[in-house]
Amino acid sequence: RDLHSFPTRRSADLVVAQSCSSIVRTTERAIRVIRGVQALAHEGSHDPMQPTDVRGLIDQAVELMQTRFATHGIELQTVVPDGLPMVECREVQIEQVLINLLNNACDAIDGDPQSQPWVRVRVSISDADGGVDAVRGAGAVHIDVLDGGPGVSPENRDRLMETFFTTKPRGAGIGIGLSVSQTIAQDHGGTLELLDAEGPTCFRLTLPVLAPHQTEGASA
């Protein structure tokens, strides 16, 4: 045989190193997913409110949902700007809200053959006067979950947050997800609403920004 057909020792070492690196990354991701599932199994209503990074909340929720979206051929995008202020929240509960919104978006698209297969998580901030995208003097963080689904019919819009009301087929949901999510948002001093605007369906979770002096106190 031609000796040149065999990999050199150096190239073989490189292949092994790349394989080991891939195994480590996959293992670390599996650990993060398992920890995330364990956290979500914890109800969280008695957890203390803590300063929390918004990007970390979104990354965790997206990572937990990534496999489901990929299985259904739905693109899951995130638009998260740098330099976001901190929020004070019970991390597990806010992740539960985000995952519920993502699940609903996935269900809406999967249940309608005319839907566009994409979901986007978009973050913006507003100042105390309501001006969106203002960084200085920010008063609230807005986390929007948009989807390319069929939208919400006018007759259902006002009832979406009612307990046990659902637009899903029988057996696919019992109608408590949005109701519980809205209660969680309100308990955090925020809101959860379906934006009344033309275009893609958009649920907005709004959370108050942590005051600068609170952030400094938490990091001291």
Side-chain angles (χ1 to χ4, degrees):
R1 284 192 175 186
D2 184 356
L3 292 178
H4 293 291
S5 65
F6 292 92
T8 64
R9 175 66 178 273
R10 186 172 181 179
S11 62
D13 288 345
L14 180 60
V15 170
V16 171
Q18 291 174 338
S19 298
C20 289
S21 178
S22 176
I23 291 170
V24 169
R25 288 195 303 271
T26 301
T27 302
E28 288 176 343
R29 182 178 184 277
I31 290 172
R32 290 197 302 271
V33 170
I34 291 171
R35 286 176 177 170
V37 171
Q38 288 175 332
L40 289 176
H42 172 57
E43 189 265 337
S45 62
H46 299 294
D47 290 352
M49 302 277 277
Q50 295 183 342
T52 305
D53 173 52
V54 174
R55 183 183 292 274
L57 287 171
I58 293 172
D59 287 347
Q60 178 74 359
V62 166
E63 185 165 37
L64 287 170
M65 294 297 300
Q66 197 71 258
T67 299
R68 186 186 182 204
F69 275 73
T71 300
H72 290 273
I74 300 172
E75 183 181 7
L76 180 53
Q77 313 162 346
T78 59
V79 182
V80 185
D82 294 328
L84 289 172
M86 303 278 278
V87 297
E88 186 175 41
C89 71
R90 298 182 182 94
E91 185 173 339
V92 169
Q93 287 194 312
I94 298 304
E95 285 182 7
Q96 288 172 339
V97 173
L98 294 176
I99 287 174
N100 179 60
L101 295 177
L102 290 171
N103 267 319
N104 286 349
C106 185
D107 289 342
I109 293 171
D110 197 45
D112 182 79
Q114 302 302 316
S115 293
Q116 299 177 14
W118 63 265
V119 172
R120 183 179 304 120
V121 181
R122 181 183 65 193
V123 180
S124 60
I125 56 179
S126 61
D127 59 25
D129 296 323
V132 179
D133 296 328
V135 176
R136 295 186 180 277
V141 173
H142 308 291
I143 304 175
D144 297 339
V145 177
L146 306 94
D147 67 68
V152 180
S153 62
E155 61 269 23
N156 290 331
R157 293 183 68 91
D158 292 336
R159 299 193 61 195
L160 277 180
M161 303 296 176
E162 291 182 12
T163 305
F164 302 124
F165 177 79
T166 180
T167 59
K168 296 180 181 180
R170 183 180 297 273
I174 60 175
I176 64 172
L178 286 175
S179 175
V180 171
S181 295
Q182 185 183 53
T183 299
I184 290 173
Q186 292 171 346
D187 287 345
H188 283 75
T191 59
L192 176 64
E193 58 187 331
L194 173 63
L195 294 190
D196 190 18
E198 295 183 6
T201 302
C202 179
F203 282 89
R204 169 168 288 185
L205 171 64
T206 299
L207 297 171
V209 166
L210 192 62
H213 68 85
Q214 291 176 286
T215 305
E216 293 168 5
S219 60

